[in-house]
Amino acid sequence: MLKGEPLFVAGVNNHYLPFGSPAEVTRVLDDAVAMNANVVRTFIQPVIGSLDGTTPTIWNWRSTADSSNLNVHGVVMMAWDPIRARMVVNDGPDGLQRIDFLLDEARKRGLKVILAFLDFWSYTGGAQQMRAWYGSDDEYSFFAKDPRTIADYKRWVKTVITRVNSINGVSYAADPTIFSWELMNEPDIHPAPLLATWLNEMAVYVKSLDRNHLLASGHSNPTGEFPDMAISKIDFGTWHGYPRFNGITPEQMTDRISAFCSMSVAFNKPVLLEEFGWSKAHANQLDVYGSWMQALYNSDCAGWVVWRLVSRQDSGLFPADPVDGFDIHNDGGQLWTLMQSAAKKQIDKQAKVEALSAP
């Protein structure tokens, strides 16, 4: 709900919003508006070892590729201080001020932002870099059970939530531009009881700092069981759908849309399909997306957030997408037009619900 009226989400993911150049960030936001989107989703990143290199960075922080392909241009959100043997947070121009800029520019365009506090994966450090600070090679459980990483995560969360935007003076905890927080992008924590314990503890902690915003786990929930939705402090469910990675066909993905979205009824909480993609390498990409968008429109889901919208880099070119083939560009092409129409239809769905509920 927004101002007492139903809100259906037509959204886009973009991973380089925290570290792209100001022009690259605003191009993405402008393209989101042009696509009729009302929500953008990103993760707060990157995380490195130490600036002096004595504590290794486990990913290629010095990449000279474009922003879309993880050249972060020296941006750092968190790092290890080897002298004091502790995490340090960068709140400067190449740190959290980048999030200030993102939120302020989104506000100007009437966009809402889903912010995941952290990424689980190591592409730009994330939780994997944080456990590596302590010499662990345990990818799936160390972060969620070691007292040091738990303390680091809570300190980071508190720093973000209690931050005051350096551009507009608005506290993050009171910023209506923030659609929701997410505990982490795809927290693939094992075993399941450890995941449940960590999610519950961190959800309670976030809500103790901020009761103004929605909270989701950010979990991909690939089996459709949604154990996170049983946690009282989690406000809505999330799932990610990629036939390539889930070992299913596009037709089975369509079936999942109906089944997984219906969990909103079971838990009496909204559900978002907040990542999905089918590669352009497949000749039937347009047909598949068309089928999925219609299924989502007819489903119990509160909306969708497609992976991923990317815009022209500072080179003037769209980034190469040789790996996944999921990229969506504002290029006037058939996929762009399809997603524009699907987002507009989602907005029209909102208007229809509002009309039906009017006295």
Side-chain angles (χ1 to χ4, degrees):
M1 305 291 289
L2 179 65
K3 297 180 179 179
E5 301 293 346
L7 175 69
F8 289 88
V9 173
V12 296
N13 284 279
N14 180 278
H15 59 295
Y16 60 83
L17 288 173
F19 54 79
S21 73
E24 288 172 334
V25 171
T26 55
R27 278 194 287 269
V28 171
L29 298 179
D30 286 340
D31 286 348
V33 172
M35 205 192 87
N36 297 314
N38 55 8
V39 173
V40 295
R41 175 177 177 263
T42 196
F43 331 135
I44 306 180
Q45 55 186 348
V47 185
I48 68 166
S50 60
L51 289 167
D52 65 5
T54 58
T55 301
T57 297
I58 64 173
W59 57 283
N60 184 14
W61 182 49
R62 303 293 187 182
S63 170
T64 59
D66 58 29
S67 298
S68 177
N69 289 297
L70 306 185
N71 179 351
V72 301
H73 310 287
V75 172
V76 175
M77 298 296 170
M78 288 180 280
W80 185 255
D81 181 344
I83 296 176
R84 293 184 291 172
R86 59 173 294 184
M87 174 186 82
V88 289
V89 174
N90 180 9
D91 63 0
D94 290 328
L96 280 170
Q97 287 183 31
R98 297 296 189 106
I99 307 303
D100 294 348
F101 177 77
L102 167 62
L103 291 174
D104 194 56
E105 292 298 316
R107 175 191 60 82
K108 294 175 184 177
R109 292 161 175 80
L111 293 165
K112 302 293 184 182
V113 181
I114 296 175
L115 278 177
F117 291 114
L118 196 65
D119 190 6
F120 180 78
W121 309 108
S122 62
Y123 298 108
T124 55
Q128 302 307 321
Q129 181 67 67
M130 293 173 74
R131 55 90 182 156
W133 291 340
Y134 299 102
S136 173
D137 59 3
D138 177 355
E139 296 182 13
Y140 295 103
S141 62
F142 181 89
F143 181 87
K145 68 182 181 182
D146 189 274
R148 296 167 296 180
T149 45
I150 290 173
D152 287 343
Y153 178 83
K154 286 184 174 180
R155 181 179 160 218
W156 168 240
V157 165
K158 185 175 183 179
T159 298
V160 173
I161 290 177
T162 59
R163 182 173 178 79
V164 174
N165 192 305
S166 62
I167 298 171
N168 56 37
V170 177
S171 166
Y172 280 23
D175 191 346
T177 300
I178 297 173
F179 178 91
S180 72
W181 302 113
E182 288 190 347
L183 294 177
M184 194 181 295
N185 174 57
E186 297 186 345
D188 194 19
I189 295 165
H190 298 157
L194 178 62
L195 171 64
T197 298
W198 186 85
L199 291 177
N200 186 71
E201 179 180 352
M202 298 312 161
V204 169
Y205 184 69
V206 169
K207 288 293 188 177
S208 74
L209 299 171
D210 180 1
R211 296 183 179 181
N212 295 321
H213 289 103
L214 297 170
L215 176 65
S217 71
H219 203 278
S220 62
N221 282 310
T223 64
E225 296 178 356
F226 295 94
D228 50 336
M229 288 178 69
I231 297 172
S232 63
K233 301 299 184 183
I234 297 294
D235 297 305
F236 65 94
T238 57
W239 66 287
H240 301 175
Y242 297 100
R244 172 183 170 187
F245 305 130
N246 300 142
I248 60 175
T249 66
E251 293 75 21
Q252 289 172 316
M253 173 66 180
T254 304
D255 293 337
R256 282 191 173 190
I257 289 171
S258 176
F260 287 20
C261 291
S262 69
M263 298 302 287
S264 66
V265 178
F267 285 96
N268 195 30
K269 293 181 180 181
V271 172
L272 280 183
L273 172 55
E274 65 164 16
E275 283 191 27
F276 61 97
W278 182 245
S279 175
K280 63 185 177 184
H282 300 283
N284 65 345
Q285 185 191 45
L286 288 173
D287 291 337
V288 167
Y289 273 102
S291 175
W292 289 353
M293 304 319 293
Q294 185 59 47
L296 282 162
Y297 181 81
N298 293 331
S299 75
D300 292 315
C301 266
W304 46 266
V305 190
V306 68
W307 185 274
R308 61 188 182 175
L309 174 67
V310 296
S311 303
R312 293 188 185 276
Q313 305 289 276
D314 284 342
S315 65
L317 302 174
F318 288 114
D321 183 19
V323 179
D324 296 329
F326 300 146
D327 285 359
I328 296 171
H329 306 142
N330 183 1
D331 56 6
Q334 290 179 295
L335 181 58
W336 171 257
T337 302
L338 187 155
M339 298 309 297
Q340 265 188 319
S341 298
K344 180 63 165 57
K345 189 174 180 180
Q346 191 82 335
I347 293 170
D348 289 343
K349 180 179 180 179
Q350 177 178 330
K352 288 178 182 178
V353 171
E354 289 173 354
L356 288 171
S357 63

